C-alpha cells in the first residue's frame, strides 16, 4: 500500500470494511464522535513485537500520520524498526475485525454475521456454561500470547475455575529459561555492549531483533571490534557480520560446548576463585568431561578440533568479558535443555557472572498491585499433566504439545471449550493438522484478536480487541541490564466497535457469575501500579514521556558477596543439579547424537527475520512488500541432484503433511538442510496477502518436545523435496 492509498483510507476517502464485506461480514461504521482538529503528539509503547519499544505518535486532525521513536527509552535507543513504523497499518487495515462476529455455517467456511457485544457475550457465556455444567471448569482450555492485558484473560480463566492455562513460552523460550533458572536461580541478561568475545548458536540477532542486544551487537562488532563466533547451518545476516561462521551439523551444539569445557577445565583455564566461592558440583563436572574432547566433537559437529581448542583458549582469555549467548527462542531439539545448561555452565566456570561484558542478573523496578477479590484455586489437575511429565517446568506456561495430545485423547478428561487470546495456534504449533483436529472437536471456540487469524477463521465467536494505538493498558516493567517502565495510552479513540481485553473479560465475567473478581477499572489498576514508582506524580510523568528508567544501571557485582544466597536448592550456582537428578534427568549435560536425515531427505530448520513477528504481521501491507513470499532455501548441490532450479514450484513433504512453494536455490545453507520463513500459506481469506501464498511451516513440522522443559522441538523434522 503506498502512502496516498493509506492516507485515503485513514481519512475516510476509501470506506473501511470492503474486504470484510467480500468474505461475509457487513461493513462496520466507525464510532461517531466530534471531528478532531490540529496536530498533537502522544507518547506510547509499540506492540508489533516483544521488545516494547517506546514511540511518539503524531496525530493530525484525528488521523495517525507518523510513528516516531522515543529517545527516552534506553532499550529502544531512539530507534523504531520497520515493524514499529508499520504499526499504524494495524489501525487502518480494511481487514481488521471491526465488531463482534458469530459464525454461521461450518467452521472454516468463512461465513460470519455481525453481532452486538451483548449478544456475543451472552452467546459465549452460554456455551462456556454448558461445557462447565457437563465437564466441570477443567473442560475448558485458555491459551494466550504475551500482551499488556494478558493478565486479565488469565484471571478470567482462573476465576472460571480452569487449571488449563497455556502460554506461548512452551513454543519458544521455555528450555533456555529453565536451564538458566536451575543453574543461577534466575534468567540473566547478556552485556553485549561491553563484551570482548561472544559465541552465538543460531541466535540470528541481526535479523531477529531483540533490543537492545541487536543494537549493542552492531556497536560491539563494528566500533569496538569485539569478536563474534557464530554457529548456524544457514548463512544468516548475523553470520555475515561474524568474525567466524561455522555451518555446524544441526543439533550438535552441545558437543561443541562440551569440548570447550573439556579444554578449559582440563587445562585449568577456568576462574578457580569464582568456581570455589560461588558454585557447587565442579568436582563432578571435571570427571564428566573426559570423553568430550575436541577431536571427538569434530566428528559430531564438523568443526575442526584445532578451531575448537583455539576458541576455548580465546574465550577463557577474554573472560570475564566473554559469554556464550543464550538467545531467546530455544525451541530446537529434544535435547535443547541440556544444550542450554551446558551454555550456562560454560559461562559459570570462566567467572563472567555479574561482571561488565558478562552474564548479568536483571535489574527490576517494583510496581504496585491492585488488590482484587481472590478466587478459589482450580481443583482438577492440568490436562497436560505437567506435574508428572515435566515437573521442573513452569506450571503457569504449560506444555502445548503434550497438552494437545492429551486433549485429543481426552486424557485424563475431556476438554470441549477453547478460549484464545491474541494467539494463532494453527500457525504457532507444529503439525497443523493435529491442531485443527483438536480445534474441530471443541464444542465451543472463542477468540479475542485484532485480525482474522487462521485460528479465528475456525472460531464460533470473535471478540475484536482495540489496537494498541487505541488502548489504555497496564504499566509494564521491562527487566534487564537497564530496567525500564513503559506506558501505553490511546493515541486515538477506537475507530470501530472494539473493546480492550479487560472490558471483554468483564463482559464475560458478568454473565459467568464472576463479576466480583473484575470490579475495577483500568484507571484504578494503573493508579495502584504507579504508586510504587519513586518519581513525583508518576502518572502525569508517564503520560507526558511514555517511559521511565531509574539511574544507576547497569549494576554489576550485586551478587558477588561470598554470603550471597542464589535462588537455587543449594544457595549457590549449580553446576551439578540435584533437582535434575531427583526429577530423573541428567544432573550434568550428557550428549546424545541427533538423528540424521535419511538418504534423499533434509532437516527442516526455521528462523526469524527483521520484518515479521511470528505469523501475525506477514499480512501487513508495508511489511509484506519487503518479503511477499517464503521460498524454500535449498542448497545448490542438492537442488542440482534433484533437477530443481531457482523459482521452480516444488512439493515439500514430511510425516505431518505437505506444501507447495517456490525453490530458493542458494549456497548459503548446508546440503543436508532446508529452510523456510514462518507466517505464510494462511487459511484465512481475510489474510489476503498470504492466503494460499507461500507455505505454512506448521503443516510440515512434526510433534516432538524437549525432554525436560516440554518445549516444542521444531528442528526434528525431515522432509523430502521434489519438483512439480
Amino acid at each position: 500500500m503506498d502512502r496516498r492509498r493509506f492516507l485515503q483510507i485513514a481519512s475516510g476517502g476509501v470506506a473501511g470494511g470492503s474486504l470484510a464485506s467480500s468474505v461475509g461480514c457487513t461493513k462496520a461504521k466507525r464510532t461517531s464522535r466530534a471531528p478532531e482538529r490540529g496536530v498533537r503528539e502522544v507518547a506510547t509503547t509499540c506492540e508489533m513485537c516483544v521488545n516494547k519499544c517506546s514511540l511518539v505518535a503524531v496525530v493530525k486532525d484525528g488521523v495517525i500520520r507518523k510513528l516516531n521513536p522515543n529517545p527516552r527509552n534506553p532499550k529502544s535507543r531512539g530507534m523504531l524498526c520497520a515493524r514499529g513504523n508499520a504499526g499504524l497499518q494495524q489501525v487502518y487495515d480494511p481487514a481488521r475485525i471491526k465488531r463482534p462476529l458469530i459464525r454461521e455455517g461450518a467452521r472454516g467456511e468463512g461465513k460470519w454475521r455481525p453481532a452486538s457485544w451483548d449478544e456475543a457475550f451472552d452467546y459465549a457465556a452460554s456455551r462456556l456454561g454448558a461445557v462447565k455444567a457437563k465437564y466441570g471448569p477443567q473442560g475448558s482450555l485458555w491459551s494466550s500470547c504475551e500482551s499488556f492485558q494478558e493478565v486479565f484473560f488469565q484471571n478470567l480463566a482462573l476465576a472460571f475455575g480452569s487449571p488449563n492455562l497455556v502460554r506461548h513460552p512452551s513454543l519458544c523460550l521455555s528450555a533456555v529459561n529453565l536451564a538458566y533458572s536451575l543453574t543461577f536461580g534466575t534468567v540473566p541478561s547478556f552485556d553485549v555492549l561491553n563484551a570482548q568475545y561472544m559465541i552465538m548458536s543460531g541466535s540470528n540477532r541481526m535479523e531477529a531483533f531483540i533490543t537492545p542486544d541487536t543494537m549493542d551487537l552492531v556497536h560491539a562488532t563494528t566500533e569496538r571490534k569485539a569478536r563474534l563466533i557464530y554457529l548456524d547451518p544457514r548463512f544468516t545476516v548475523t553470520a555475515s557480520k561474524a568474525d567466524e561462521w561455522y555451518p555446524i551439523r544441526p543439533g550438535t551444539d552441545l558437543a561443541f560446548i562440551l569440548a570447550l569445557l573439556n579444554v578449559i577445565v582440563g587445562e585449568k583455564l577456568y576462574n578457580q576463585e569464582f568456581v570455589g566461592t560461588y558454585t557447587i558440583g565442579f568436582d563432578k563436572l571435571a570427571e564428566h568431561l573426559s570423553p568430550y574432547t575436541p577431536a571427538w566433537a569434530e566428528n559430531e559437529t564438523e568443526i575442526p578440533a584445532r578451531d575448537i581448542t583455539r576458541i576455548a583458549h580465546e574465550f577463557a582469555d577474554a573472560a570475564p568479558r566473554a559469554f556464550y549467548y543464550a538467545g531467546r527462542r530455544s525451541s530446537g531439539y529434544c535435547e535443547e535443555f541440556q544444550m542450554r545448561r551446558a551454555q550456562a555452565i560454560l559461562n559459570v566456570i570462566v567467572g563472567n557472572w555479574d561482571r561488565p561484558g558478562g552474564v548479568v542478573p536483571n535489574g527490576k523496578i517494583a510496581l504496585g498491585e491492585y488488590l482484587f477479590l481472590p478466587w478459589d484455586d482450580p481443583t482438577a489437575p492440568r490436562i497436560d499433566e505437567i506435574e508428572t511429565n515435566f515437573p521442573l517446568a513452569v506450571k503457569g506456561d504449560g506444555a502445548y504439545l503434550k497438552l494437545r495430545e492429551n486433549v485429543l485423547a481426552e486424557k485424563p478428561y475431556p476438554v470441549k471449550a477453547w478460549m484464545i487470546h491474541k494467539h494463532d495456534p494453527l500457525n504457532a504449533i507444529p503439525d497443523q493438522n493435529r491442531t485443527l483436529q483438536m480445534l474441530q472437536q471443541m464444542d465451543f471456540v472463542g477468540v479475542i484478536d485484532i485480525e482474522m487469524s487462521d485460528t479465528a477463521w475456525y472460531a464460533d465467536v470473535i471478540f475484536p480487541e482495540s489496537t494498541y494505538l487505541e488502548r489504555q493498558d497496564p504499566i509494564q516493567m521491562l527487566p534487564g541490564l537497564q530496567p525500564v517502565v513503559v506506558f501505553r495510552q490511546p493515541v486515538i479513540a477506537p475507530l470501530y466497535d472494539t473493546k480492550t481485553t479487560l472490558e471483554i473479560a468483564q463482559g464475560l465475567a458478568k454473565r459467568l457469575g464472576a463479576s466480583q473478581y473484575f470490579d475495577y477499572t483500568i484507571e484504578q489498576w494503573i493508579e495502584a501500579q504507579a504508586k510504587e514508582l519513586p518519581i513525583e506524580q508518576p502518572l502525569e510523568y508517564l503520560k507526558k514521556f511514555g517511559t521511565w528508567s531509574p539511574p544507576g544501571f547497569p549494576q554489576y557485582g550485586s551478587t558477588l558477596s561470598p554470603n550471597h544466597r542464589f535462588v537455587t536448592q543449594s544457595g549457590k550456582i549449580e553446576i551439578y543439579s540435584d533437582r535434575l537428578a531427583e526429577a530423573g534427568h541428567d544432573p550434568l549435560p550428557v550428549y546424545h547424537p541427533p538423528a540424521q536425515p535419511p538418504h534423499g531427505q533434509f532437516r527442516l530448520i526455521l528462523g526469524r527475520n527483521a520484518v515479521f513477528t511470528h505469523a501475525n504481521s506477514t499480512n501487513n501491507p508495508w511489511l509484506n512488500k519487503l518479503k511477499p513470499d517464503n521460498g524454500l532455501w535449498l542448497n545448490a548441490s542438492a537442488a542440482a541432484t534433484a533437477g530443481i532450479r531457482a523459482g521452480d514450484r516444488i512439493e515439500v513433504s514430511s510425516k505431518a503433511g505437505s506444501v507447495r512453494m517456490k525453490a530458493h536455490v542458494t549456497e548459503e545453507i548446508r546440503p543436508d538442510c532446508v529452510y523456510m520463513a514462518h507466517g505464510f500459506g494462511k487459511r484465512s481469506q481475510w489474510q489476503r496477502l498470504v492466503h494460499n501464498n507461500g507455505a505454512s511451516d506448521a503443516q510440515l513440522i512434526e510433534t516432538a518436545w524437549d525432554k525436560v522443559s516440554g518445549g516444542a522441538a521444531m528442528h526434528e523434522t525431515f522432509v523430502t523435496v521434489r519438483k512439480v
Side-chain angles (χ1 to χ4, degrees), residues 710-722:
M714 298 191 182
H715 288 174
E716 297 282 8
T717 298
F718 301 142
V719 299
T720 58
V721 180
R722 70 178 184 88

Side-chain angles (χ1 to χ4, degrees), residues 25 73 83 92 97 129 271 283 331 355 366 536 561 632 656 696-697:
C25 176
N73 187 330
R83 288 174 291 184
Y92 300 110
I97 305 171
N271 188 321
D283 55 332
S331 51
R355 303 284 179 86
E536 291 186 12
S561 161
L632 186 82
S696 171
D697 52 11

Side-chain angles (χ1 to χ4, degrees), residues 2-16:
D2 60 27
R3 184 171 178 81
R4 178 176 298 175
R5 169 75 173 168
F6 157 68
L7 291 175
Q8 283 181 324
I9 292 174
S11 60
V14 176

Side-chain angles (χ1 to χ4, degrees), residues 615-650:
N616 70 3
S617 54
T618 50
N619 194 58
N620 185 295
W622 289 359
L623 299 177
N624 186 273
K625 269 192 172 182
L626 301 175
K627 187 174 179 59
D629 59 32
N630 66 335
L632 186 82
W633 285 37
L634 182 65
N635 182 271
S637 62
T641 301
I644 296 171
R645 296 183 179 181
D648 282 350
R649 292 286 295 174
I650 55 175

Side-chain angles (χ1 to χ4, degrees), residues 115-196:
S116 68
W117 279 99
D118 282 339
E119 183 185 9
F121 286 145
D122 289 343
Y123 175 76
S126 173
R127 301 289 292 275
L128 285 167
V131 168
K132 186 174 185 177
K134 186 172 183 179
Y135 302 104
Q138 66 269 25
S140 63
L141 168 63
W142 304 70
S143 61
S144 60
C145 201
E146 182 184 42
S147 79
F148 284 18
Q149 295 214 13
E150 183 186 14
V151 60
F152 304 127
F153 177 83
Q154 293 176 301
N155 287 354
L156 180 61
L158 293 168
F160 188 74
S162 177
N164 297 317
L165 282 71
V166 62
R167 302 182 63 246
H168 184 70
S170 72
L171 302 171
C172 185
L173 44 74
S174 58
V176 69
N177 281 356
L178 182 59
Y180 276 77
S181 293
L182 286 175
T183 306
F184 295 107
T186 187
V187 181
S189 289
F190 292 78
D191 191 8
V192 177
L193 184 63
N194 295 302
Q196 293 294 340

Side-chain angles (χ1 to χ4, degrees), residues 453-473:
S453 68
D454 278 4
T455 303
W457 188 249
Y458 286 85
D460 297 301
V461 62
I462 303 174
F463 301 105
E465 187 187 44
S466 303
T467 68
Y468 72 95
L469 294 169
E470 302 167 311
R471 249 185 9 242
Q472 177 72 76
D473 279 351

Side-chain angles (χ1 to χ4, degrees), residues 497-541:
D497 190 14
T498 58
K499 293 184 181 293
T500 67
T501 295
L502 174 57
E503 292 170 327
I504 296 168
Q506 289 172 326
L508 287 170
K510 179 180 178 180
R511 291 156 175 84
L512 292 169
S515 58
Q516 66 271 30
Y517 305 120
F518 295 88
D519 188 19
Y520 50 82
T521 65
I522 191 66
E523 289 77 17
Q524 290 172 322
W525 186 280
I526 291 169
E527 286 171 5
Q529 289 182 298
K531 285 180 180 178
E532 296 293 325
L533 295 178
I535 51 178
E536 291 186 12
Q537 298 182 314
L539 275 179
E540 286 72 16
Y541 183 97

